[in-house]
Every structure is written in structure tokens, then in C-alpha cells.
Amino acid sequence: DTEVTQTPKHLVMGMTNKKSLKCEQHMGHRAMYWYKQKAKKPPELMFVYSYEKLSINESVPSRFSPECPNSSLLNLHLHALQPEDSALYLCASSLGDSPYNEQFFGPGTRLTVL
Amino acid sequence: AQSVTQLDSQVPVFEEAPVELRCNYSSSVSVYLFWYVQYPNQGLQLLLKYLSGSTLVKGINGFEAEFNKSQTSFHLRKPSVHISDTAEYFCASRGNDYKLSFGAGTTVTVRA
């Protein structure tokens, strides 16, 4: 298995809803990442988990809450989002956190906040 | 922190013509360079990477790139494009930290 999967593919939510994005990989990777991508822009790093511990939070608002229950799974919990949070949310993983290690990206979850 | 600059925001090209996408990076002691492609409504796929060694790097789908330290460039080339190469292309760099720094992207549109 050489892919990163993300569910759901699309998500529409209101500003008062609570929802979660899920990311899974079975490549034995120990680093996992969340990125946010707005239309026609490059991905922006949000969070990095290394060996199931949060190692980087790029000053992301607390309405985004990441969780890494085990080495294969990464969640992003969403609460009280704003319309400007609408974007493509990409998950990635790499063997380790070395700069050498290629990041493998999932297909993304397209989020719309009404 | 590392950074990259993609010099072309849009590149229109005819089918079977060559294409070059330009990328310059900020100079650093250690730099690792990548080219990713993003097809419409999809995630990113790695085309190729430069970590060390040979300056000419060959990737998937007929793409190659040349690392030029004196010009701090990492341009991507393909000798003959197909309609299916229509996509967004991102150059990225990484120093000795976690962060993958992306360029602004180049939109390649291949026309018949």
C-alpha cells in the first residue's frame, strides 16, 4: 500500500458545526502533516506530527485541532470555522522527518464553510 | 528559512512541444529541491527530487530537472508534452527542518 487516503472527499459545514477530517497511511511512515490550500495557491503547512507527537503548529487558530491516535492515522477536528477556512485540506506523510524524506500527499478534502 | 521563486505563473504550450518551468531557490548550506505536480481536483504528486549527487535529475512522466548551484536554479523540462500534462506545477525546497517551502506555482496548459 503506497498511498495516503483522506475522507471525506468533500465536506460542507456551517459555522456552528463540529466535524473531523481523517487521513490514513499504511506505509510505515512516522511523520504526518496537515496542509491548507486555497484556490490557485501553494499548500501552506498547518501541523506536523513526528512519531505521533505534535512537533510543529504553524500558528494555526484553535478552531483547528489535530490528533494522531496512532502511527497510521491523523485527524483534524474542526469547530466554529469561518467561511474563509474554506479550502482544500491536504494530508501528507513521510518515512521520517529528515529533509531527505519525500512527502506523499493524499487527494485532499475540499471543505466549504457556509 | 528556505524559499523558492517560480518565475512563470502561466505557461501555455502546444502538444508535442518542449516546455521549461523555471525555479530559483534561496542559497543555503544544505538544500533539498523537489518538483510536484497537481492535476485538477487532486493532491500533489512528486515528479522528481534533488538531494545530492548528479545535477541532472530524471523523474516520472518524462520530466527532468537540472540543479545549478552557481545560478541557484532548479528548472524543470520535458522535451515533448502531452495534453495530459496540463496541471499546476510546484517547485519546493527544504532545509534542515520540517518545512517544505513551495513556490507560487506554474499553470501549464497544453493545447492541441
Side-chain angles (χ1 to χ4, degrees):
Chain A
D1 190 349
T2 58
E3 64 174 0
V4 176
T5 59
Q6 290 187 245
T7 54
K9 287 187 177 180
H10 301 274
L11 179 61
V12 179
M13 60 186 291
M15 289 190 285
T16 58
N17 292 157
K18 283 186 181 181
K19 296 285 184 183
S20 297
L21 309 185
K22 179 180 171 181
C23 172
E24 200 161 4
Q25 57 86 16
H26 296 285
M27 295 180 279
H29 289 177
R30 302 311 299 269
M32 296 185 77
Y33 311 78
W34 279 115
Y35 288 86
K36 174 183 178 181
Q37 187 180 25
K38 301 285 274 185
K40 304 293 185 186
K41 297 291 186 183
E44 298 173 9
L45 183 65
M46 300 174 71
F47 302 104
V48 179
Y49 273 83
S50 180
Y51 292 84
E52 297 152 57
K53 294 193 186 315
L54 182 65
S55 55
I56 289 187
N57 176 341
E58 289 284 309
S59 303
V60 179
S62 59
R63 58 186 183 269
F64 295 91
S65 175
E67 179 197 18
C68 189
N70 59 58
S71 60
S72 300
L73 193 55
L74 185 66
N75 298 320
L76 186 63
H77 303 297
L78 314 173
H79 174 53
L81 294 194
Q82 304 296 311
E84 59 264 29
D85 296 321
S86 298
L88 182 68
Y89 287 84
L90 294 165
C91 175
S93 71
S94 60
L95 187 63
D97 53 27
S98 164
Y100 278 76
N101 296 143
E102 171 190 346
Q103 291 185 26
F104 291 79
F105 284 81
T109 293
R110 189 160 299 281
L111 173 67
T112 303
V113 182
L114 301 177
Chain B
Q2 292 290 329
S3 68
V4 293
T5 303
Q6 291 183 244
L7 301 172
D8 310 290
S9 60
Q10 297 195 39
V11 174
V13 59
F14 286 106
E15 194 175 19
E16 297 184 10
V19 71
E20 178 180 79
L21 309 184
R22 298 179 294 166
C23 174
N24 286 356
Y25 65 93
S26 62
S27 180
S28 176
V29 175
S30 298
V31 62
Y32 310 97
L33 297 164
F34 307 82
W35 274 101
Y36 284 88
V37 61
Q38 186 173 32
Y39 299 105
N41 300 312
Q42 294 188 29
L44 277 70
Q45 181 182 11
L46 183 71
L47 284 174
L48 49 79
K49 59 187 176 184
Y50 173 78
L51 303 180
S52 64
S54 174
T55 57
L56 183 62
V57 181
K58 293 194 182 295
I60 62 170
N61 302 341
F63 284 94
E64 64 180 33
E66 185 156 16
F67 173 70
N68 188 320
K69 190 173 181 179
S70 62
Q71 297 187 7
T72 61
S73 67
F74 189 56
H75 300 336
L76 180 71
R77 301 184 183 96
K78 185 169 182 177
S80 176
V81 296
H82 303 288
I83 297 288
S84 58
D85 291 320
T86 294
E88 190 77 15
Y89 292 78
F90 292 101
C91 182
S93 70
R94 195 171 181 188
N96 288 323
D97 60 15
Y98 292 100
K99 199 166 179 177
L100 195 59
S101 296
F102 289 92
T106 299
T107 303
V108 173
T109 305
V110 182
R111 298 172 179 148

